[in-house]
Amino acid sequence: MHLFIQQNSAGLTINENANPIVRKDVESHIKKIVPEHMAYYL
C-alpha cells in the first residue's frame, strides 16, 4: 500500500476486521479526547 497524506495533523489507524464494534469503540474514544467544534481549534 502507498499512502500520501499532505497534512501534518493526519493520523491512521489499522485494525483487523474481526469484530465490527471496534470501529465504534475507536470513534467514540477519539470523540471524547478530541471533540469537534471547540473554540480552541483554529
Side-chain angles (χ1 to χ4, degrees):
M1 177 176 84
H2 293 275
L3 181 66
F4 176 72
I5 300 176
Q6 200 169 347
Q7 294 289 332
N8 59 356
S9 62
L12 174 69
T13 62
I14 300 173
N15 301 303
E16 63 181 75
N17 200 18
N19 189 341
I21 199 74
V22 172
R23 180 177 176 182
K24 289 183 179 185
D25 287 344
V26 171
E27 185 178 352
S28 65
H29 181 70
I30 290 174
K31 284 182 177 182
K32 286 180 184 177
I33 62 173
V34 187
E36 293 186 42
H37 309 296
M38 297 304 292
Y40 49 82
Y41 292 140
L42 299 178

